Amino acid sequence: MKLSIVGSGYVGTTIAACFADLGHDVVNVDIDEDIVDSINAGVAPIHEPGLDELVEQYAGNRLRATTDYDEILDTDATFLALPTPSNEDGSIGLGAMNAAAESLGETLSKKDGYHLVVTKSTVIPTTTEEVIAPRIEAASGKTVGEEFDIGMNPEFLREGTAVEDFLDPDKIVLGANTDRAHETLDAIFDPLVQRADDPAVIKTGIREAEMIKYANNAFLASKISLANDLANICKEFGVDSYEVLEAIGLDSRIGSAFLAAGLGWGGSCFPKDTAAIIAAARSRGYEPRLLQAAVDVNDQQPHRMLELLGDRFDPRGKRVAVLGLSFKPGTDDIRESRAIPLIDALLDAGADVVGYDPVAVESMREKFPSIEYTTTAADALAGADAALVATDWDEFAALDDEFDEMREPIVIDGRRIVTRRDGIDYESLV
Ligand code: UGA
């Protein structure tokens, strides 16, 4: 089929390249000329394992990029994969989605045949039907359910394993307003269903599809926060939280994934999506107590780490190394990284912070230009009075003699990654 993807961020670029790999003819539409040039030159505009290879393989044949919305006219369906960032109050920001819906509507006013518009971005239930579709109708002069249909297909890929996750999903969620739209979605996803390892295909309504995405992320974020809450209790009683969590994960009703306790969850999705669904619930008069508690536990973990440091010494004037700056290993993305509130708290306490990360130093330098950064973990540790581990990069598990160069070999580990040995004053956050 001929598909257009509006937006070339993590999700848009990944799905464009993967749809091309599935045999579709794909055009990626973005307002950023640098991104468009990069894709057309066969170079992925973001770093994702496996993505460069796909973009290189398909650019110029089944995959191309453009700034011209008119190229959508020759496609059967358009996926809207634009950012939905948080507003000040945590509610969802729809500026980019609305602008894209209007541009798409203007374009579709010139189309003769049927078109399907699919929301890929994470949006609050009712947004596709009540915000996006009316904008397309107003700009195109067409009626939803007649000349065009709408659908919602949430994405569950993770940064760092995006291509793999897209091409081998647990489930494919297809929300649509008509049978015709469902049939079109089936035709788009059939090559993926055929190729992947037996994914469940959930055919549902549009607002159910929208909510499935929030419920999925809210559940996972809450699962981690519950693990952290339990792990904090373990810590108070001198109980090994990792042994406890490993044991409960064996109960098939609980499952072992997303039970890694520690400094908490960051990234571009969990914090934004939990905030957005909490704000949306409140706007309808419902107070989501458990979700708010999940956020509160998450906010508290970096401060608990500071308390553990404070039990050793007053951080004022002390050199404190922060190992790991990205929100998780395998990425240079620092959005909502737990290292940020940690560094903030250290600076508030008057510490001299030295940061190290294998790939995220330059991103963090923009956020905290005045702290010191090093190019190796060894340099960050040399002369440090303590080390706080914020991200579970594998290389931190291999650190050994490097700790001997610290002024005081105090290691407080927020991710249970450092290998314990004699000579290190080691304490796990949980
Ligand atoms: C998350 C979801 O896992 C994806 O399914 C979803 O598609 C995506 O959000 C999205 O909405 O776009 P992502 O943010 O890339 O993916 O990262 P995760 O691997 O889920 O990690 C999120 C955070 O949770 C990280 O800070 C990680 O360190 C933390 N985490 C994860 C834990 O603290 N403990 C765990 O056991 C697992």
Side-chain angles (χ1 to χ4, degrees):
M1 294 185 74
K2 292 186 172 178
L3 305 178
S4 39
I5 317 291
V6 180
S8 310
Y10 270 97
V11 172
T13 310
T14 304
I15 68 167
C18 289
F19 275 139
D21 195 47
L22 291 169
H24 296 306
D25 192 57
V26 186
V27 58
N28 215 321
V29 185
D30 202 284
I31 51 174
D32 188 322
E33 283 188 26
D34 290 340
I35 290 177
V36 165
D37 291 346
S38 172
I39 294 171
N40 286 332
V43 179
I46 52 158
H47 171 72
E48 265 301 326
L51 189 60
D52 260 331
E53 290 81 345
L54 291 182
V55 174
E56 191 185 348
Q57 185 177 352
Y58 296 112
N61 49 78
R62 290 216 290 271
L63 174 66
R64 63 191 195 288
T66 180
T67 55
D68 180 7
Y69 267 75
D70 278 354
E71 295 217 24
I72 291 172
L73 289 170
D74 188 35
T75 64
D76 307 302
T78 302
F79 286 77
L80 296 173
L82 295 123
T84 50
S86 295
N87 292 323
E88 284 279 299
D89 62 355
S91 65
I92 187 169
L94 287 174
M97 282 297 274
N98 288 342
E102 277 155 28
S103 301
L104 177 61
E106 283 162 25
T107 306
L108 291 182
S109 69
K110 295 176 244 170
K111 182 162 179 173
D112 286 333
Y114 170 74
H115 201 81
L116 175 66
V117 180
V118 186
T119 303
K120 191 69 175 165
S121 308
T122 303
V123 293
I124 294 295
T126 70
T127 302
T128 301
E129 291 157 297
E130 294 178 8
V131 180
I132 296 168
R135 278 186 165 72
I136 298 172
E137 285 184 315
S140 65
K142 298 187 172 185
T143 307
V144 67
E146 292 180 15
E147 296 99 325
F148 75 98
D149 279 327
I150 48 173
M152 163 71 201
N153 164 235
E155 186 50 60
F156 302 99
L157 58 78
R158 291 162 296 175
E159 276 184 40
T161 49
V163 171
E164 195 185 312
D165 288 346
F166 181 88
L167 291 174
D168 191 14
D170 293 333
K171 60 180 180 282
I172 298 168
V173 176
L174 304 174
N177 66 328
T178 63
D179 289 345
R180 180 177 59 173
H182 268 298
E183 281 158 23
T184 311
L185 283 170
D186 282 347
I188 295 169
F189 282 92
D190 189 58
L192 178 56
V193 174
Q194 297 305 324
R195 189 205 285 191
D197 186 15
D198 202 19
V201 178
I202 294 128
K203 289 183 194 173
T204 186
I206 291 174
R207 55 187 69 186
E208 284 74 19
E210 290 169 329
M211 189 63 196
I212 287 168
K213 170 69 187 206
Y214 278 106
N216 216 94
N217 273 0
F219 198 102
L220 291 171
S222 302
K223 188 177 181 189
I224 301 167
S225 279
L226 180 54
N228 284 337
D229 214 20
L230 293 168
N232 291 339
I233 298 173
C234 288
K235 174 103 183 159
E236 298 301 329
F237 284 92
V239 170
D240 187 325
S241 62
Y242 269 52
E243 281 191 26
V244 171
L245 292 165
E246 198 181 328
I248 67 167
L250 295 173
D251 187 321
S252 59
R253 294 167 301 174
I254 295 175
S256 59
F258 280 64
L259 280 182
L263 204 53
W265 34 270
S268 62
C269 303
F270 286 175
K272 166 178 78 73
D273 292 350
T274 46
I277 200 67
I278 287 172
R282 286 189 182 136
S283 77
R284 299 285 170 120
Y286 179 73
E287 179 56 35
R289 291 186 179 78
L290 212 49
L291 271 184
Q292 184 56 53
V295 173
D296 293 344
V297 169
N298 202 49
D299 289 344
Q300 151 194 286
Q301 292 309 85
H303 296 285
R304 283 182 68 86
M305 201 172 209
L306 253 285
E307 281 166 22
L308 291 184
L309 185 66
D311 291 344
R312 312 300 179 102
F313 54 67
D314 178 357
R316 184 160 302 278
K318 299 281 188 174
R319 179 178 167 92
V320 179
V322 174
L323 299 185
L325 305 172
S326 58
F327 85 93
K328 65 174 181 180
T331 177
D332 63 354
D333 192 343
I334 60 151
R335 283 177 289 177
E336 300 291 334
S337 168
R338 297 296 80 199
I340 294 172
L342 187 64
I343 293 171
D344 266 329
L346 282 167
L347 293 175
D348 283 349
D352 290 334
V353 179
V354 48
Y356 166 72
D357 189 281
V359 294
V361 161
E362 289 319 312
S363 319
M364 200 56 102
R365 201 190 295 280
E366 284 174 29
K367 176 91 189 154
F368 294 107
S370 58
I371 70 168
E372 184 186 338
Y373 296 92
T374 61
T375 51
T376 64
D379 287 345
L381 291 172
D385 295 287
L388 306 184
V389 181
T391 315
D392 39 340
W393 284 101
D394 281 344
E395 67 169 74
F396 299 154
L399 290 171
D400 191 355
D401 299 345
E402 293 84 349
F403 292 116
D404 297 334
E405 303 306 314
M406 296 176 72
R407 198 176 353 242
E408 292 287 337
I410 297 171
V411 178
I412 302 178
D413 191 347
R415 302 287 179 186
R416 282 262 187 139
I417 181 77
V418 168
T419 308
R420 278 170 253 192
R421 66 153 170 82
D422 289 345
I424 306 177
D425 179 359
Y426 178 93
E427 181 159 13
S428 176
L429 172 62
V430 289

